[in-house]
Amino acid sequence: MIKTGFNPNICKSNSILEDYVKAGNLYQARLLFDEMPERNAFSTNLLISGYVKAGDIFSARKLFDRTLDRNAVTWTILIGGYARCNETGEVFKLFSEMRKSGVVPDHVTIVTVLAARNDHAAMNQETQIHGLVVKLGHKWSVVVCNTLVDSYCKSHCLDSASRLFEEMEKRDCVTYNTMITGYGKEGYNVKAVEIFVEMQHYGIKPSDFTFASVLGSCVGLNELNVGQQVHCFILKTNFVQNVFVSNALLDFYSKLGKVIYGKRLFDEMPYLDGVSYNVIITGYARNGQYKECLDVFRKLQFTGFDRKQFPFTTLLSTATTLHELQMGKQIHAQVVVTSAESETEVKNSLIGMYVKCGTLGEAKMIFKNHSNRNTVSWTSMISSYVQKELNEEALNLFIDMCRAGLNADQSTLASILKAAANIGSLDLGKQLHSYIIRSGFMSNVFAGSALLDAYANCGSIKEATQTFDEMPERNIVTWNAMIAAYARNGDAEATFKSFKALEKSGLQPDQVTFLSILSACSHRGLVTEGLQYFDCMSRIYKLDPLRKHYTCMVDILARNGLFEEVEKVMAEMPYEPDEVTLTSILSSCKVHKNKELGIKIANQLFKMDLKDGGAYVMLSNLYAEAGNWDEVAKVKKAMKDRGVKKVPAKSWVDIKQTTHTFLSNDQTHPRFSEIRQKLDYLAKEMGKHGYRADTSCYHHNVEEEDIKAESIMYHSERLAIAYALISTPPGSTIHVKKNLRACADCHAAIKLISKIERREIVVRDSSRYHHFRDGFCSCGDYW
């Protein structure tokens, strides 16, 4: 005993200490440790290990720092503790200190350090550890090499992983599994399948993890035949008895849309677990078979599986798709009962369900009480505000999200850019553009498309085009955004040119593309071109026209006064005319003074019990222009009886990051006296250019022409433009938004103002964009 250095007292104390540690009684273990007259390295390592297993890394580190006699095991235990806490920076720091102290790491230390390195920034450290592995002679250890290969794969360094894989003299099942998974995660699914085949060639038996990984690659390849061959191999090796492997097969068939094969396998599986049910339920939901999805869920509820693991996100998604609020509430009740509401993904799905089903209050309450909000949670609420046209609230929520330290993803940016577009704020669009560049999303095709759309909606076609030209990758969404931008801004020639460029790019136009093309034809009165594109949509591209396409065609014809053709299209289209279609015809009847058809269309609209006052106002104006004031009074009475209110005309202009709102004849602005002086000056200058007010735009029973002309002069867009003229530097572009269509007199006046002031004036009304320059408008006086 003396010769070997064995101390029975230390041995006895260590045995008791080990019992305390195993029982988790660290308090008694520490008392014993402190009272021990003599200790050895095993004593210290035992207690540090106990602290680490209990998650008390602070106490473990404190004891470690007090220990002078540290061996490789001591260092490895603490390194492992930091690895469990995901503090990878501290892991490598400790490993570096260990080497400086002269303690040689063993293969367990190397494996522990490598297992903690799973981010791209770790590539340099992994290369250094690889060199150390070779230097210390651990390159013959399969465990060490497997961990190093896995670390390279997790850091997206497949070249290094593949090179090491080829150099390994001995490989096992884990080695091949690691490479199959690594290739699969990076999208190299063909290579993953090849590695799987090579594994069989060398006679290495696959494990359950092997089959799960290769089936994942078969999904990525969308290869049913290859997956079915793997299925045969699974049957041959009797792995079908393994529920993990069978679930992977279920997932394979489900994701390839072969739910019928999946259900057949599900019914034949000797063992089922909660995952089995979840996979088949998700498969049915993904395939649109909602009845079957709910039937399997009902069966799941009678099993003894953990209810907290039920596929609540899938079921809530189903309720959202079906717009079944009652069903969503029932699922919510089960979520609460099973305490699954604490899961972030479930809460996000609840928020999305309530938003899509129109119950914003419930969504806000869940979001407010969500303690672990992530980017998806914030994005769900931001998009819900945008859908409800609460754009200011969406922007404020985005600011709160940034302050909370969360990074936006492409979905967040798409939603917030939509809010900026709805507001029509060019300054905000540019700020978000800077944010996208800083966040590294400019190369993202979805973020780029949303930014392009935002610029277009702000009337800044130059920035929209530049964004499009600078995008490294474009998909059909990008092209549609660019084509729609030209269409909204009245540039039909650029719209058609972009369509031809889209065809040459190899992408196929879709129904959204043709909607923009027909809209451009409508804005410019291009009947022949509209008919040609409408025809080639179905004849060449085999796309069925939707209701919106027919509405566009009706609008094109009606705006040109071709009312016989309008009635012909309406008789042929497979849809009943809706409010939008009829309102478009009524508007054209007003322009072309077709009182008879206008009254007929208005009567159809009235039968729909509309709450929007647009149709009533147009009919009232139709009667007013004809001087039939008795009928005007009847229309206004009908509006009053039905609780329909006329939407007041409003215009907005942003000056120095502040939005100024104007109503017609509004005298409340602090600088109204200056605004009036500017309008008076403009009226005199316009008179020199031959301007005379078009009082037919005044729809009130007033005889005096002077009163009519003065009232028109104070329309909301003119007030906004006058304020912008006195508040911005000469020569700068003015951007004004208006909630209704501009009247003919204002349109003529703004053309002259752009010439007198030598300014470009961009006006976005409810129909389109008008770019006024040098006395002309981009719409060609056709709007």
Side-chain angles (χ1 to χ4, degrees):
M1 285 171 57
I2 295 170
K3 187 176 180 180
T4 59
F6 177 77
N7 189 321
N9 293 325
I10 295 177
C11 181
K12 183 179 179 181
S13 296
N14 282 346
S15 178
I16 299 169
L17 184 66
E18 188 173 15
D19 290 339
Y20 281 139
V21 169
K22 284 182 179 178
N25 193 344
L26 295 178
Y27 177 75
Q28 289 294 336
R30 185 55 190 259
L31 286 177
L32 174 61
F33 181 84
D34 290 340
E35 291 171 358
M36 288 172 66
E38 291 182 83
R39 313 182 194 101
N40 58 14
F42 181 78
S43 316
T44 306
N45 293 345
L46 198 59
L47 189 54
I48 292 175
S49 175
Y51 283 132
V52 165
K53 288 177 181 176
D56 187 358
I57 195 70
F58 176 79
S59 297
R61 183 58 184 264
K62 197 172 179 182
L63 179 57
F64 175 86
D65 289 340
R66 286 177 51 193
T67 303
L68 300 176
D69 185 22
R70 304 167 187 160
N71 59 19
V73 176
T74 318
W75 286 92
T76 303
I77 291 170
L78 191 63
I79 287 170
Y82 279 110
R84 288 175 64 180
C85 297
N86 292 319
E87 294 189 34
T88 53
E90 197 63 33
V91 166
F92 203 80
K93 184 179 176 183
L94 270 173
F95 182 64
S96 179
E97 289 175 4
M98 175 184 180
R99 293 179 60 201
K100 288 176 183 177
S101 72
V103 178
V104 179
D106 58 17
H107 73 282
V108 179
T109 315
I110 299 291
V111 169
T112 304
V113 172
L114 285 171
R117 311 305 295 167
N118 58 7
D119 58 293
H120 188 66
M123 187 178 78
N124 187 46
Q125 291 96 332
E126 284 156 357
T127 306
Q128 292 178 39
I129 295 173
H130 191 169
L132 186 64
V133 165
V134 175
K135 182 180 177 181
L136 296 176
H138 292 307
K139 68 175 184 177
W140 311 115
S141 169
V142 177
V143 174
V144 171
C145 288
N146 284 349
T147 311
L148 190 53
V149 168
D150 183 57
S151 190
Y152 276 134
C153 287
K154 286 178 178 176
S155 297
H156 315 290
C157 304
L158 280 180
D159 287 344
S160 299
S162 179
R163 195 158 45 246
L164 176 58
F165 175 80
E166 294 297 334
E167 291 172 357
M168 288 174 66
E169 292 190 5
K170 187 177 180 183
R171 305 173 193 145
D172 59 11
C173 180
V174 175
T175 321
Y176 280 94
N177 289 350
T178 303
M179 286 306 301
I180 292 169
T181 304
Y183 279 123
K185 283 184 177 178
E186 294 297 313
Y188 296 103
N189 295 301
V190 172
K191 189 66 178 174
V193 174
E194 288 176 355
I195 293 287
F196 173 72
V197 173
E198 179 187 313
M199 179 182 183
Q200 314 317 312
H201 175 75
Y202 284 109
I204 297 174
K205 292 182 179 180
S207 67
D208 53 355
F209 196 78
T210 314
F211 287 119
S213 298
V214 77
L215 284 168
S217 289
C218 291
V219 171
L221 291 169
N222 197 32
E223 277 287 353
L224 180 64
N225 290 337
V226 176
Q228 286 180 321
Q229 290 178 44
V230 175
H231 189 171
C232 291
F233 192 16
I234 289 168
L235 291 170
K236 184 179 177 182
T237 53
N238 203 33
F239 266 98
V240 75
Q241 301 288 327
N242 185 303
V243 70
F244 176 72
V245 174
S246 292
N247 287 343
L249 269 172
L250 275 179
D251 188 60
F252 163 74
Y253 284 122
S254 168
K255 286 179 177 173
L256 263 64
K258 302 297 181 182
V259 191
I260 188 169
Y261 295 167
K263 186 60 167 64
R264 193 180 302 155
L265 172 67
F266 179 84
D267 293 335
E268 293 173 356
M269 282 170 63
Y271 305 104
L272 294 169
D273 61 10
V275 175
S276 315
Y277 279 91
N278 286 4
V279 171
I280 200 69
I281 288 169
T282 303
Y284 275 132
R286 189 185 291 115
N287 209 42
Q289 295 174 257
Y290 301 116
K291 181 183 179 299
E292 291 82 352
C293 166
L294 296 172
D295 286 344
V296 177
F297 176 62
R298 290 188 187 97
K299 292 178 182 177
L300 171 60
Q301 293 179 78
F302 290 99
T303 66
F305 299 127
D306 183 4
R307 298 175 69 85
K308 192 175 180 180
Q309 302 301 320
F310 282 3
F312 290 119
T313 53
T314 298
L315 296 162
L316 287 166
S317 175
T318 300
T320 303
T321 303
L322 298 174
H323 289 280
E324 284 283 353
L325 179 60
Q326 197 57 38
M327 173 184 164
K329 285 184 174 181
Q330 290 175 11
I331 296 167
H332 189 178
Q334 290 212 35
V335 166
V336 173
V337 169
T338 56
S339 301
E341 201 173 18
S342 59
E343 299 293 327
T344 299
E345 193 175 352
V346 174
K347 275 208 170 180
N348 292 344
S349 297
L350 279 168
I351 292 169
M353 185 275 294
Y354 280 117
V355 166
K356 295 286 174 59
C357 291
T359 315
L360 185 58
E362 291 282 354
K364 287 168 71 174
M365 190 179 298
I366 294 169
F367 179 79
K368 185 178 179 181
N369 297 327
H370 196 344
S371 58
N372 191 27
R373 291 179 287 203
N374 59 10
T375 299
V376 177
S377 319
W378 287 89
T379 302
S380 294
M381 278 312 301
I382 289 169
S383 64
S384 70
Y385 280 128
V386 175
Q387 288 168 25
K388 295 291 182 181
E389 297 185 2
L390 300 170
N391 301 298
E392 294 286 352
E393 289 86 342
L395 290 165
N396 290 333
L397 200 61
F398 176 67
I399 292 168
D400 290 342
M401 174 183 170
C402 294
R403 285 173 179 164
L406 278 87
N407 295 320
D409 60 15
Q410 64 184 36
S411 299
T412 321
L413 292 171
S415 293
I416 206 65
L417 283 166
K418 180 69 174 174
N422 291 343
I423 293 171
S425 172
L426 182 59
D427 287 342
L428 179 59
K430 288 180 176 179
Q431 289 177 41
L432 289 170
H433 191 169
S434 298
Y435 178 87
I436 290 169
I437 292 171
R438 291 197 308 272
S439 303
F441 275 101
M442 271 312 296
S443 60
N444 184 287
V445 67
F446 296 102
S449 300
L451 179 62
L452 189 165
D453 192 54
Y455 275 132
N457 272 319
C458 294
S460 187
I461 198 69
K462 180 182 176 182
E463 279 83 357
T465 306
Q466 185 176 338
T467 301
F468 179 83
D469 291 340
E470 291 175 355
M471 289 179 67
E473 182 186 352
R474 300 168 189 150
N475 60 10
I476 188 61
V477 176
T478 318
W479 282 97
N480 283 346
M482 193 68 250
I483 291 169
Y486 286 127
R488 280 198 300 272
N489 283 272
D491 194 340
E493 290 74 19
T495 305
F496 301 151
K497 186 179 177 181
S498 292
F499 179 79
K500 290 176 182 176
L502 164 63
E503 291 179 309
K504 288 180 181 177
S505 74
L507 292 169
Q508 287 286 320
D510 59 13
Q511 289 162 321
V512 176
T513 318
F514 280 100
L515 193 60
S516 295
I517 294 289
L518 294 174
S519 177
C521 294
S522 174
H523 286 322
R524 292 295 296 272
L526 304 174
V527 177
T528 304
E529 290 84 347
L531 290 168
Q532 287 173 349
Y533 278 110
F534 187 78
D535 173 64
C536 83
M537 178 181 175
S538 53
R539 183 171 53 83
I540 297 176
Y541 293 101
K542 311 302 178 187
L543 295 169
D544 294 327
L546 303 176
R547 182 189 294 275
K548 289 183 177 180
H549 298 98
Y550 281 104
T551 298
C552 265
M553 280 310 305
V554 167
D555 191 58
I556 292 169
L557 297 167
R559 283 159 67 94
N560 281 273
L562 303 172
F563 294 111
E564 288 185 11
E565 287 82 352
V566 166
E567 293 185 296
K568 183 180 177 183
V569 170
M570 288 175 65
E572 292 176 352
M573 69 182 191
Y575 306 100
E576 286 295 318
D578 62 2
E579 176 188 345
V580 177
T581 308
L582 295 175
T583 302
S584 171
I585 299 170
L586 183 59
S587 176
S588 295
C589 288
K590 176 180 175 295
V591 172
H592 293 283
K593 315 296 183 188
N594 191 335
K595 180 181 172 183
E596 184 181 345
L597 180 59
I599 293 170
K600 177 183 174 184
I601 294 297
N603 287 330
Q604 284 182 257
L605 279 164
F606 292 163
K607 290 176 184 177
M608 296 180 177
D609 192 26
L610 307 176
K611 295 301 179 186
D612 180 14
Y616 295 92
V617 172
M618 275 190 275
L619 183 60
S620 174
N621 293 346
L622 198 65
Y623 283 128
E625 287 173 12
N628 194 339
W629 299 107
D630 290 339
E631 292 298 326
V632 170
K634 288 179 182 178
V635 173
K636 288 183 177 179
K637 185 178 183 302
M639 290 177 67
K640 185 177 179 181
D641 292 343
R642 297 186 181 189
V644 178
K645 293 183 179 180
K646 178 183 176 181
V647 177
K650 288 183 182 179
S651 293
W652 298 266
V653 64
D654 293 328
I655 305 294
K656 295 179 180 178
Q657 298 182 337
T658 301
T659 300
H660 297 261
T661 306
F662 296 89
L663 297 170
S664 291
N665 295 292
D666 190 352
Q667 300 183 23
T668 60
H669 196 279
R671 297 180 68 185
F672 178 72
S673 60
E674 296 173 74
I675 293 170
R676 181 166 54 190
Q677 287 176 14
K678 189 66 177 178
L679 287 172
D680 289 340
Y681 163 76
L682 291 170
K684 290 176 184 177
E685 292 298 313
M686 288 191 294
K688 294 176 183 177
H689 288 78
Y691 166 79
R692 293 292 179 272
D694 181 1
T695 55
S696 66
C697 298
Y698 186 83
H699 299 118
H700 298 280
N701 191 7
V702 176
E703 295 295 333
E704 293 81 356
E705 290 295 315
D706 290 343
I707 295 175
K708 293 180 181 180
E710 185 175 358
S711 179
I712 292 170
M713 188 172 76
Y714 290 102
H715 275 185
S716 64
E717 58 265 54
R718 298 223 207 156
L719 293 171
I721 290 169
Y723 177 64
L725 287 169
I726 65 174
S727 305
T728 56
S732 59
T733 301
I734 294 171
H735 289 263
V736 171
K737 287 90 66 180
K738 181 178 169 69
N739 65 333
L740 303 177
R741 283 187 70 194
C743 71
D745 184 73
C746 284
H747 192 270
I750 299 169
K751 286 198 298 181
L752 284 174
I753 292 170
S754 71
K755 183 176 182 180
I756 293 165
E757 294 289 328
R758 297 180 181 178
R759 298 271 203 127
E760 179 181 354
I761 303 173
V762 181
V763 178
R764 185 185 84 174
D765 67 11
S766 61
S767 175
R768 57 175 298 165
Y769 277 93
H770 300 265
H771 295 260
F772 297 93
R773 300 185 195 92
D774 301 320
F776 296 94
C777 180
S778 59
C779 73
D781 297 339
Y782 188 91
W783 81 101

